[in-house]
Amino acid sequence: MMKAEEETEEDVLIANPSVCKLIDQRRKEGYNIAFISDMYLSSKFLRDILKTCGCCEDIDDIYVSCEHNARKDTGQLYDVVRKELHPAEWIHYGDNPRSDIKMARKKGIHAIH
């Protein structure tokens, strides 16, 4: 079932061009890029998809809740990322008002919806 879902995701996922452009802009400005997701699919799978879409490079970090037993919607995944990456400045972009904005801000992260 998982393989069938991954195949379906590969077929239907498309990159948001404006998000890819923003990621590229931030990368050129010298920011390190990390992808953070409340997801049950593996970071390897997500990396492959993001690379295919042109949004991810090999140096980028990917944090997936299922691999860290921590979620964005509780704030715990942000703690994992902070502990591992030690960002001096952290700008987080996301589409979920609760997990991407409210919880990130609660953790002292500059969050943009």
Side-chain angles (χ1 to χ4, degrees):
M1 290 295 285
M2 182 64 87
K3 184 66 176 163
E5 179 164 359
E6 287 178 352
E7 290 170 357
T8 300
E9 294 285 358
E10 286 178 31
D11 289 341
V12 300
L13 286 176
I14 57 170
N16 180 323
S18 62
V19 171
C20 289
K21 184 177 178 180
L22 177 62
I23 292 167
D24 188 50
Q25 175 188 334
R26 292 296 188 207
R27 189 175 278 118
K28 288 177 182 173
E29 292 170 353
Y31 285 89
N32 295 324
I33 305 299
F35 297 89
I36 308 169
S37 181
D38 280 342
M39 173 60 73
Y40 54 89
L41 296 171
S42 74
S43 58
K44 182 196 176 317
F45 175 80
L46 292 179
R47 180 179 299 281
D48 291 345
I49 293 291
L50 291 166
K51 283 177 75 172
T52 298
C53 294
C55 293
C56 184
E57 295 183 358
D58 289 333
I59 61 168
D60 298 337
D61 293 292
I62 299 181
Y63 291 86
V64 185
S65 58
C66 67
E67 295 175 353
H68 294 279
N69 196 30
R71 299 180 52 83
K72 289 189 302 181
D73 66 0
T74 66
Q76 292 177 332
L77 191 54
Y78 296 117
D79 294 335
V80 169
V81 173
R82 178 170 275 127
K83 183 177 180 181
E84 290 189 12
L85 298 182
H86 309 286
E89 178 184 10
W90 187 342
I91 303 171
H92 179 78
Y93 294 89
D95 64 349
N96 185 289
R98 183 179 188 287
S99 61
D100 288 317
I101 307 306
K102 181 180 178 182
M103 293 309 294
R105 288 178 179 165
K106 194 172 186 178
K107 293 293 182 174
I109 300 164
H110 179 73
I112 300 172
H113 190 256

